[in-house]
Amino acid sequence: MKLLEINHLKKSFGDLDVLHDISMTVDEGEVVSIIGPSGSGKSTLLRCATMLETMDGGDLIYGGEAAVRGGSYASKSKLAELKQFYGLVFQNFNLFPHYSVLKNLIDAPIHVQKRNKAEVLKEACTLLENVGLSEKADNYPCQLSGGQQQRVAIARALAMNPKMLFFDEPTSALDPELTGEVLKILRELAEQKMTMVIVTHEIDFAKAVSDRVIFMADGYIVEQGTPKQVLDNPQNPRTQAFLTKVAR
């Protein structure tokens, strides 16, 4: 089943065209990594897909239901419904600093999704255990390392029970030794067949966990395919040049 379908997405900021005619799909259980040089439009693509930026043209379809059709957005109530479909993890964590770790996890499921508090608490405790942070439930974000904050951010996204997760450079704000602990969580999610779209500069990680890799440059999808096709045997000179540079 196609969880996400993007057709002919266009996005400009003033006179600057950032995304040109982007089309892609993501199937249930699939892990898609998006790689490419800075300024290639990767984060803007994610922000359009998660409705943080307004698309200038094209379709955005979740589970067969259109959030955007031909650049026209669905009703507010329909968009609110479709936003429950996915979770988003930012590169700089975006935790609520004045909430404890546990409150960061339970606030939206209780107040936005109107779910049973006892049930949400139980799920949140399990999620914290899964990311190795049970003992940090009462701590505040400022008392955690960057890696721990990012693991809380992943748990918070999962607390909403989304069908898929988006990650925007989830390790770019972390020291190398903290990167490993976050990538470990993503590997475990991939093994559990969580549908994920990951914008990343970690090429070895993308090779290890992805079903498909998309290479972007200058606002275009230049090449896509299996990790073996795109990372081990790239056909496009732009992809070849990027991977050579990254490997140095």
Side-chain angles (χ1 to χ4, degrees), residues 4-244:
L4 171 65
E5 197 177 335
I6 295 173
N7 300 316
H8 309 297
L9 162 58
K10 294 182 178 66
K11 177 65 185 172
S12 304
F13 293 108
D15 295 335
L16 180 66
D17 294 335
V18 180
L19 295 174
H20 311 266
D21 198 22
I22 298 282
S23 295
M24 63 179 280
T25 60
V26 181
D27 291 335
E28 193 169 6
E30 192 177 27
V31 178
V32 178
S33 289
I34 303 176
I35 63 168
S38 294
S40 57
K42 307 184 298 295
S43 290
T44 303
L45 169 57
L46 231 60
R47 290 179 68 82
C48 286
T50 55
M51 300 183 237
L52 291 173
E53 292 287 357
T54 308
M55 293 165 51
D56 293 329
D59 308 331
L60 176 63
I61 301 163
Y62 279 103
E65 294 199 64
V68 186
R69 184 75 77 180
S72 298
Y73 278 73
S75 67
K76 269 190 173 166
S77 59
K78 174 53 76 177
L79 293 181
E81 183 190 315
L82 292 177
K83 282 177 182 176
Q84 304 291 313
F85 212 85
Y86 56 82
L88 173 60
V89 178
F90 300 88
Q91 55 185 291
N92 53 354
F93 329 132
N94 282 27
L95 297 173
F96 295 114
H98 55 297
Y99 285 179
S100 69
V101 164
L102 186 61
K103 190 164 166 56
N104 262 288
L105 263 66
I106 67 173
D107 193 64
I110 291 170
H111 295 111
V112 177
Q113 296 181 326
K114 311 293 184 200
R115 285 166 53 202
N116 177 278
K117 188 174 180 180
E119 185 188 298
V120 170
L121 267 169
K122 191 178 169 194
E123 281 182 23
C125 290
T126 303
L127 284 168
L128 285 178
E129 198 176 311
N130 291 348
V131 297
L133 290 171
S134 294
E135 77 289 356
K136 301 289 187 187
D138 297 326
N139 286 47
Y140 285 84
C142 64
Q143 297 171 304
L144 305 180
S145 71
Q148 289 171 332
Q149 287 186 60
Q150 192 60 296
R151 280 146 62 197
V152 171
I154 293 168
R156 181 179 64 176
L158 289 167
M160 299 288 280
N161 288 331
K163 287 191 165 63
M164 65 184 294
L165 285 178
F166 291 94
F167 294 87
D168 187 9
E169 299 271 15
T171 59
S172 68
L174 302 177
D175 296 335
E177 69 269 22
L178 299 178
T179 294
E181 62 190 51
V182 172
L183 294 182
K184 178 175 176 280
I185 303 292
L186 297 188
R187 278 199 179 89
E188 287 165 3
L189 288 172
E191 283 162 15
Q192 293 159 21
K193 290 292 172 205
M194 183 74 200
T195 309
M196 295 189 282
V197 177
I198 308 169
V199 169
T200 184
H201 57 276
E202 302 279 349
I203 302 300
D204 289 342
F205 170 74
K207 192 182 286 192
V209 303
S210 308
D211 298 296
R212 193 151 45 91
V213 175
I214 291 173
F215 173 71
M216 285 183 70
D218 307 319
Y220 293 93
I221 290 178
V222 173
E223 192 163 355
Q224 62 175 309
T226 64
K228 198 167 183 59
Q229 288 167 331
V230 176
L231 301 175
D232 294 338
N233 191 26
Q235 300 302 300
N236 189 287
R238 196 79 176 75
T239 319
Q240 291 166 358
F242 172 76
L243 290 170
T244 304

